[in-house]
Amino acid sequence: MNKPIAWVRKSRSPSKELVAALRDHAELIPRPESQADFGKFFDRYGDAQVVLLGEATHGTSEFYSARAAITRRLIEEHGFTIVAVEADWPDAARIDGYVRHHDPRPRRGDSFVRFPTWMWRNHDVLAFADWLRDYNEDKSEERQVSFHGLDVYSLTESIASVLEYLDAVDPDEAAKARWRYGCLTPWQDHPAEYGKAVVHGGLGACEEAVLGQLRRLFENRLDYLNQDGEKWFDAAQNAKIVAAAERYYRSIYEGGAASWNLRDRHMFDTLQSLISHRGEGTKAVIWAHNSHIGDASATAMGWNGEFNIGQLCRIAYGDEGVSIGFGTDNGTVAAASDWGADMQIKTVRPARPDSYEYAFRQTGYARSLTDWRGRDRQDLAHILREPLLERAIGVVYRPETELLSHYFEAILADQFDAYVWFETTKAVTPLGHEKPRGAPETYPFGL
């Protein structure tokens, strides 16, 4: 579990040619608060089916507000109808209920209370949810934009959701589901301990039980779909999460790249299920960390055997998938010093001189968009294949060990299709302090 980010130290600095190319090709962009003007710069990606929007930290306001502005433009002008984010499915369903079904505004309650609470329980996300609710108000069901979580961690909440659904539509099957999920019941509050007990303690795995429950949902789907297709889809997705989570918590004790790959494979499969559910021609926007949405095969992570949703989307969608990375040099970030600790406003150190962030800082631009797609920009892409370090700050930020903890080697041109740069950024503002609970699923760096 205590796995640092994969990295390879390189002493090289960005070449003068690289900095000059970035300066020549950068497009200066307004502040994201000017949402309409900011969003226009991203019309060029409107023909894609999947647009993946990254972030270099999990606690920077500009990244959230920029993604909101881009997503608004893609929704309003280019027909995107899915927003899928690096969050738990049941928690994101609270936002989806608010933006599509007039459920209560998700300001308080028990959603997004697993550490790190500030990652989705913040003012930037709430402002986007309010806009999305207004946008959906006069739209038909087919044209409404839905909001979903892609992640794998909601074991307890997903079990409860499946049981609640079956209690309503098939009480006899609900009783059988309780028996199947009973294998995991002792571990729901500490699922990582389940994985340890299976791998190192000789406990029998619950895999067959949870897969059996998933099969039953699909075997009965025709009867259930006749009652309410949306509710069946939600229950089926939660059953998939239970099955994936059971495997995940075993894999984190098996070492290697298995746990990371299982998680990102689940994210990709969830995206595919959403697009299939919404129907032909559906277009989706993804919000996740750079380490998930950039092609892992162009980074030290991939060279060490890990893949991610960005790589899988590039394989599946080709030119119909666009991945946009985000970066910053300095400012403040919302992060913790240790897993489960309170959020702090931390100062982001200026980028190392052997990093891509340093190269962007050398351009002298406060904000820019750099796009290297297309045949007419292959010279820029070639220059951006110069291997350098890249910074990744998760929910834990340790400036004192930044090189080991937060840098990895990458080839930017092959990792992303474009890059949004903010020289100075500020921390997100959380909606309020919540007591963290749950297991340390992405300990210790939370990407």
Side-chain angles (χ1 to χ4, degrees):
M1 294 174 65
N2 194 351
K3 181 180 74 66
I5 295 173
W7 65 282
V8 179
R9 183 172 184 176
K10 296 292 182 181
S11 61
R12 68 170 67 90
S13 296
S15 66
K16 293 180 180 179
E17 182 185 26
L18 188 152
V19 173
L22 290 178
R23 189 178 291 121
D24 291 343
H25 287 87
E27 300 174 53
L28 304 188
I29 53 179
R31 296 181 183 277
E33 292 81 2
S34 302
Q35 297 210 353
D37 292 336
F38 187 93
K40 290 177 182 177
F41 280 83
F42 299 85
D43 282 333
R44 70 195 74 186
Y45 310 117
D47 291 337
Q49 184 174 5
V50 175
V51 175
L52 301 101
L53 303 177
E55 59 182 358
T57 85
H58 279 322
T60 296
S61 179
E62 283 80 0
F63 298 155
Y64 285 87
S65 59
R67 292 186 301 191
I70 297 167
T71 304
R72 284 179 57 166
R73 186 73 180 186
L74 294 175
I75 289 169
E76 291 179 311
E77 302 296 331
H78 303 287
F80 284 69
T81 56
I82 289 175
V83 180
V85 304
E86 184 188 341
D88 291 339
W89 179 274
D91 286 340
R94 289 283 301 275
I95 293 181
D96 189 55
Y98 172 67
V99 303
R100 288 202 293 162
H101 306 303
H102 297 92
D103 289 352
R105 194 170 190 246
R107 178 181 290 276
R108 297 183 176 86
D110 60 357
S111 61
F112 299 110
V113 295
R114 178 179 61 80
F115 176 88
T117 59
W118 67 88
M119 184 172 163
W120 297 109
R121 188 186 283 269
N122 63 61
H123 283 276
D124 292 307
V125 172
L126 185 62
F128 178 72
D130 284 342
W131 174 84
L132 194 53
R133 180 185 171 101
D134 289 342
Y135 175 84
N136 281 335
E137 188 64 32
D138 61 351
K139 304 296 186 299
S140 64
E141 184 177 345
E142 293 75 19
R143 294 179 58 209
Q144 285 186 338
V145 179
S146 56
F147 188 97
H148 304 282
L150 295 173
D151 234 327
V152 73
Y153 299 131
S154 55
L155 179 67
T156 300
E157 293 83 358
S158 289
I159 288 175
S161 295
V162 173
L163 296 177
E164 181 181 10
Y165 170 76
L166 289 173
D167 281 337
V169 302
D170 192 341
D172 290 340
E173 189 60 34
K176 297 174 183 176
R178 282 184 168 83
W179 178 81
R180 296 184 186 104
Y181 285 151
C183 180
L184 285 171
T185 298
W187 310 97
Q188 287 190 70
D189 291 334
H190 304 283
E193 293 301 313
Y194 160 77
K196 183 178 181 180
V198 172
V199 175
H200 299 302
L203 178 74
C206 299
E207 182 177 19
E208 183 54 39
V210 298
L211 289 175
Q213 183 53 53
L214 179 59
R215 283 194 297 268
R216 287 298 297 165
L217 275 171
F218 276 87
E219 288 168 358
N220 294 331
R221 67 185 180 277
L222 293 181
D223 291 337
Y224 297 160
L225 284 169
N226 287 334
Q227 298 182 57
D228 191 317
E230 282 290 326
K231 290 183 178 179
W232 176 86
F233 179 75
D234 180 74
Q237 186 57 40
N238 276 299
K240 290 179 183 178
I241 291 167
V242 176
E246 188 275 335
R247 294 194 304 274
Y248 176 82
Y249 287 111
R250 283 189 285 115
S251 70
I252 59 177
Y253 288 96
E254 294 170 352
S259 60
W260 176 278
N261 291 347
L262 189 153
R263 183 182 174 209
D264 273 62
R265 167 65 72 178
H266 175 81
M267 289 187 187
F268 177 74
D269 290 345
T270 300
L271 172 64
Q272 296 290 79
S273 294
L274 285 166
I275 291 174
S276 176
H277 180 67
R278 290 298 298 266
E280 185 177 355
T282 297
K283 301 165 78 172
V285 183
I286 312 302
W287 294 9
H289 198 279
N290 284 348
S291 57
H292 291 292
I293 67 99
D295 189 332
S297 68
T299 73
M301 296 170 61
W303 305 333
N304 287 334
E306 295 176 337
F307 60 77
N308 60 10
I309 186 174
Q311 183 177 351
L312 295 174
C313 282
R314 180 165 285 181
I315 294 169
Y317 295 101
D319 292 341
E320 293 298 305
V322 174
S323 178
I324 305 174
F326 286 67
T328 187
D329 176 65
N330 64 79
T332 58
V333 65
S337 296
D338 294 290
W339 188 271
D342 284 344
M343 187 205 84
Q344 299 173 277
I345 304 300
K346 290 175 166 267
T347 299
V348 178
R349 287 187 171 186
R352 290 178 54 86
D354 48 358
S355 68
Y356 279 112
E357 288 86 354
Y358 182 82
F360 278 95
R361 186 175 83 204
Q362 294 300 104
T363 66
Y365 299 141
R367 294 174 303 279
S368 64
L369 167 65
T370 306
D371 185 334
W372 50 87
R373 296 191 314 157
R375 294 182 178 179
D376 60 333
R377 302 205 173 198
Q378 288 310 294
D379 288 345
L380 173 62
H382 177 74
I383 294 171
L384 286 174
R385 290 191 175 93
E386 181 178 310
L388 291 169
L389 295 184
E390 183 181 314
R391 182 163 56 189
I393 298 173
V395 297
V396 170
Y397 181 42
R398 296 172 178 160
E400 66 277 8
T401 60
E402 194 177 58
L403 175 60
L404 175 65
S405 305
H406 301 290
Y407 278 96
F408 60 95
E409 193 175 18
I411 299 174
L412 200 70
D414 297 330
Q415 185 184 9
F416 304 111
D417 298 295
Y419 197 79
V420 177
W421 170 249
F422 296 98
E423 181 177 0
T424 302
T425 51
K426 62 183 181 297
V428 295
T429 302
L431 292 177
H433 183 76
E434 294 281 351
K435 181 178 175 58
R437 64 177 173 84
E441 296 91 354
T442 54
Y443 177 87
F445 299 111
L447 297 175

